[in-house]
Amino acid sequence: MAQTTAAPRYVVEAYDIHKSFGDFEALKGVNLTVAPQELVFIIGPSGSGKSTMLRCCNLLEQPSRGVVKITGEEITHRGVDINKVRQRIGMVFQQFNLYPHMSALGNVSLALRKVKKMARSEAEDRAHAALTRVGLDDKAGNHPTELSGGQQQRVAIARAIAMEPDVILFDEPTSALDPELVGSVLEVMRELRESGMTMVVVSHEMRFARDAADRVIFMDGGLVVEEGTPERVFTDARSDRLKAFLTSVTGH
Amino acid sequence: MLDWEVIKFSFFNADSLREIYPLLLSGWWMTIKLCLAVVPLGFCFGVFLATVHSFRIRGLNVCLVVFVDFFRSIPPLVLLIYVTYGLPFFGWDVPPFAAVLVAFTFNSGSYYGEIVRAGIESIPAGQMEAARSTGLTRVQAMTYVILPQALRNVAPDLTSNTIELIKATSIASVVALPELLRMGRVAQGLVYNATPLMAAAAIYLVMLWPIVRLLSRLERRMMSAR
Amino acid sequence: MDRFLDQFFNLEVMAKYLPDVAAGFVVTIQLALSVIVTGLTLGLALAVIRAFQIRPVNWLIILFVDLFRALPPLVILIIFYFGLPFIGLTMSAFVISWLVLAFVLASFAEEIYWAGITSVNRGQWEASRSTGLGFTQTLFYVVIPQAIRMTIPPLTNRTIAITKNTALASVVTVEEMLTVAQTSLAYAANTSPLTMAAVGYLLIFFPLTMASRWVESRYAWKR
């Protein structure tokens, strides 16, 4: 735990991650490292294990084997207070998962109050700031059902950034949105990236990957098949599986 | 401290049980007859109430709501005593079985009616329109198209209400109808311990526990599906 | 017609027994309120304990809940009333009626709360846990508030139905409204006291039943 003091080389390190559900092997030994301020994009067909991999990074899925470190600190061994670690790892879900019984402000400030133990006024100030960053401070008093899908997802992003995490994991953040609402969410993600946030994104938004990602990882069948710069992965696919995948998503 | 021997003697007394089990069996049989009569009666009355309600006759529906809520507000025991001890003052000698039938039909019919009504309202209006467009009459459309779907949608609630009704038949013991609980109490008076009551309870459990178990699964699935 | 009125709505008889029935009315209200408060609280407590998924504890809860849901309340009441003295426990009929009905309500309430808790979307748990909230915090701040909202309509109906069973306490001689009315009926050889009791029950439960309709539409399931 002492090594967290010096600036770590990697924010996320995952080595040899295996995960099985019953007989099904979703991950068959995946390595992933994410440097500070890096935006890593994970692509792959459905069932490739990319979401499972993401969820292993904050132990929403417990890996069957392998080691996960966050800013150098191993979180996969017993005795780690996972709730403490998760404060430093934000997560944004495909289905938003906003709390329907709370206002946008309540959604963003709950963990600040109950995990970070801030006073209500301090937590709400921080929540308002986070909502402002996603352009929704005027909706602070609204409940999720009163917001559009895009607005809900931006509140969910505010909920993650309010905790000032070391990294944010995005699990298909735009897949549940109508096409015309996708842009506003991507815009927020782009701004986050420019502010230097470390991000790991699982998504099908190839254009976004192309112009925002530092590195693209292609997964298939529970393994990393190729990785490299967006340039390299999108224009110089080496494996047949990646070529087939790119053809299927771009449609030509 | 609890004395196990005393508990065994008072609650699980095999000798007492051997002595009085014919009483319990006859009580059980009466309970079954009662259920076989009152469950279909109450159910049919409920379907009738809900069907009439679905015709949306303004004035009539207000009366129906008041009727149903009246019988849902009166404890069945009060209703039963009213029927049993009230009517004889007119010189009408109401046999307990008939009194119980009347009281429970109105009471359970109101509950069944509310459940079936919710079921009917869960069916999209297009179903009725489609059925009518093929030339079915309103009653035919109700019988062949709407009710089968509606009843399936509310099957867990209907089951739960039926359990409640079967349990409620034990109230008939108060007006001396010789059903299971009544016979349990009669037997208790004979042997002077609580064994007959425990045996009666065991019989209720055998009848109802499996349904209760099944139901709590069904209900949980329904709530998760919504 | 006159005979009917005389038998069921005899004003003289009513006036004479009104104070008695009114006293019974108060006992009925006391019993009902005690049952509602303790039953709903105990039911929630059981559901919360069940959420921690400790095997043997859960079996006990399920056993308790199933027993009190499968047995007729009158049977339980009579077993407690006549059975407890055999093992040296003596409680007043009021306390026994209160406990039995509270246990029955708690059992039904536990099942409803539990169904509500399990029906809260898995994503809610994940979102909450991903921000660092622990299991217990997630349960209390995120899951239970949603579960309770979902359970309000079925819980309201069930609470009314079980609270009506306070009339059963007359069988074990609690001096509640029905007992008083029956005694008066015997003295007066007239049904009017029973009519008063029926009106008393309507006064309590008719507004509640009507309100439950409103609750049902207000908290209709929606996502």
Side-chain angles (χ1 to χ4, degrees), chain B residues 6-7 10-11 65-66 68-70 72-75 77-78 81-82 85-86 89-90 111 114 117 160 164 167 170-171 173-174 181 185 188 192-194 197-198 201 204-205 208-209 212-213 216 220 223-224 226, chain C residues 3-4 7-8 50 62-63 66-67 69-75 78-79 82-83 86-87 108 111 114-116 118-119 158 164 167-168 170-171 178 182 189 191 194-195 198 201-202 205-206 209-210 213 221 223:
Chain B
V6 173
I7 293 178
S10 314
F11 292 91
V65 168
V66 172
V68 162
D69 282 2
F70 178 86
R72 293 199 304 163
S73 304
I74 291 260
L77 178 56
V78 175
I81 290 179
Y82 213 94
Y85 298 131
F89 282 110
F90 287 104
Y111 279 99
E114 270 305 289
R117 182 184 63 79
S160 140
E164 290 309 303
K167 282 158 58 181
S170 63
I171 290 172
S173 64
V174 178
L181 177 58
R185 296 187 66 184
Q188 177 207 2
Y192 272 106
N193 67 55
L197 291 176
M198 296 303 282
Y204 279 111
L205 272 187
L208 295 174
W209 198 346
V212 165
R213 213 62 308 277
S216 64
R220 216 168 304 150
M223 212 184 270
S224 303
R226 275 183 247 207
Chain C
R3 211 174 131 206
F4 175 80
Q7 187 58 45
F8 287 90
R50 192 168 171 187
I62 292 171
L63 181 69
D66 274 11
L67 277 180
R69 290 193 311 150
L71 285 173
L74 185 55
V75 173
I78 289 176
I79 287 181
F82 292 105
F86 280 115
I87 52 172
F108 279 97
E111 274 295 304
W114 177 244
T118 55
S119 72
R158 193 55 86 177
K164 267 167 36 183
L168 297 183
S170 65
V171 178
L178 183 58
Q182 279 182 277
T191 328
L194 201 55
T195 306
Y201 282 107
L202 283 179
F205 290 109
F206 198 76
T209 308
M210 292 293 255
R213 282 178 189 278
W221 306 85
R223 279 277 160 84

Side-chain angles (χ1 to χ4, degrees), chain A residues 69-169:
Chain A
K69 295 183 182 179
I70 298 297
T71 58
E73 179 189 345
E74 185 179 335
I75 63 170
T76 29
H77 73 72
R78 281 168 160 271
V80 171
D81 182 353
I82 189 60
N83 297 326
K84 266 209 161 111
V85 179
R86 283 183 181 144
Q87 295 176 45
R88 301 193 276 126
I89 316 171
M91 184 152 194
V92 175
F93 299 83
Q94 181 177 357
Q95 298 297 339
F96 329 137
N97 295 341
L98 291 184
Y99 313 134
H101 60 299
M102 292 180 181
S103 65
L105 191 70
N107 267 277
V108 179
S109 58
L110 178 69
L112 296 173
R113 286 169 51 208
K114 302 301 175 186
V115 179
K116 291 213 189 277
K117 310 284 180 200
M118 290 183 181
R120 181 184 276 270
S121 59
E122 191 190 356
E124 291 188 346
D125 287 347
R126 181 97 84 92
H128 277 298
L131 285 168
T132 307
R133 276 185 78 180
V134 300
L136 283 175
D137 198 36
D138 55 324
K139 304 282 186 196
N142 291 51
H143 282 248
T145 46
E146 300 160 340
L147 302 174
S148 76
Q151 289 171 333
Q152 289 189 50
Q153 192 60 300
R154 282 147 67 197
V155 172
I157 294 174
R159 177 170 69 184
I161 61 180
M163 298 293 285
E164 297 181 344
D166 296 325
V167 55
I168 301 182
L169 314 172

Side-chain angles (χ1 to χ4, degrees), chain B residues 1 109 194:
Chain B
M1 264 323 283

